Amino acid sequence: MTAPLKHSDPITVDVALGDRAYDIVIGRDVLQSLGKRVAALRPGAHTAVVTDRTVAKHWLERTEASLAEAGIASSRIVVEEGEGSKTYAGLERVSEALIAAKIERNDLVIALGGGVVGDLAGFAAAILRRGVDFVQVPTSLLAQVDSSVGGKTGINSPQGKNLLGAFHQPVLVVADTAVLDTLSPRQFRAGYAEVAKYGVLGDDAFFTWLEANHADIFAGAAAREHAIATSCRAKAAIVARDERETGERALLNLGHTFGHALEAATGFSDRLFHGEGVSIGMVLAAELSVQLGMIAESDAARVRRHLAEVGLPTHLQDIAGFTQEGLADADALMALMAQDKKVKRGRLTFILLAAIGRAVIAPDVEPSLVRDFLKAKLARKT
């Protein structure tokens, strides 16, 4: 697998959902084309741009200027950064602001931000006037390769991650890779976990390519667009076949059953970013697969080694402020995992590995085995 040596024209990935199909436009400086694209989709529409304070400092004025140049009126709604905005209170605030802005059914909500803003704005759009269309303008790597694509929107409950939400597909995704230059190294690394996930779950050749080319992705070379486009194509193909996660779309949750529980255990705080939880969760899923005799230890080591090489956490002990008591014990983590959206009739469903590049749905893993597995991982000495 090779990538272009130079930045090229924007890459367009189609999400094939019949009359609800939409494009993902990927490239440097494509944000400036947002207004023209919105005007072509919805002439005369009023828009409301939902963003967070940090993104607003860098990109809100440019977004509004692009819309204005195309004759698109806009309002702005600015929320606080972080998972703390993905709450009942955050949803109420955004929803009321959209109503106050007089956003109608033929208008558009624009989510300008990372995964939190995309999930929150998308859910508000889904329930506003029983459904208003929205556009995703993802500004984090994690959002560009994962959360902006596929129509999952929602907020957190104190009892678990993303337990309230709706499937509500965007009508357009505009992923400007230049905006990633303003991310902190930690934020970029966290997003990279989702890129690596696509290789681990379904494309060994892509994972091998990432092992060789990750430095160029982090440096902002053309490999970055290639990695994002490859990730988006992988997700778009699965979403087109299983939009509402009745089957194979669950594979996209590799690492998430463990990761979401860890996010909840750390209070959805900066102690553990979502992508960091996914990184640890992927390693745990690979190691559990080894314990079940599904893959060799060398495969799990390969996943663990690559994630560690780019600076991602790979063990529970890597979580900021880790102590066995301060994080959660195995029983508490099991209780948090019991709220996972893949639970069916009280039975946990795990996404495990039959090989690197081939994830499988495992609905019948014995809970006592998982509990003992977690106890051993929590007791591991650094």
Side-chain angles (χ1 to χ4, degrees), residues 88-131:
Y88 291 104
L91 178 64
E92 180 182 15
R93 180 183 173 195
V94 171
S95 299
E96 291 297 330
L98 290 171
I99 294 170
K102 297 183 171 57
I103 297 299
E104 301 173 355
R105 283 186 175 176
N106 59 341
D107 292 328
L108 287 171
V109 176
I110 297 176
L112 174 70
V116 167
V117 165
D119 285 357
L120 177 61
F123 190 24
I127 61 177
L128 177 67
R129 307 188 194 281
R130 297 192 176 92

Side-chain angles (χ1 to χ4, degrees), residues 51-62 76 78-81 112 182:
T51 190
D52 69 44
R53 294 193 185 281
T54 300
V55 173
K57 293 175 185 176
H58 294 288
W59 304 110
L60 181 54
E61 289 186 1
R62 296 190 198 190
R76 58 168 65 177
V78 181
V79 302
E80 296 300 326
E81 186 178 10
L112 174 70
T182 62

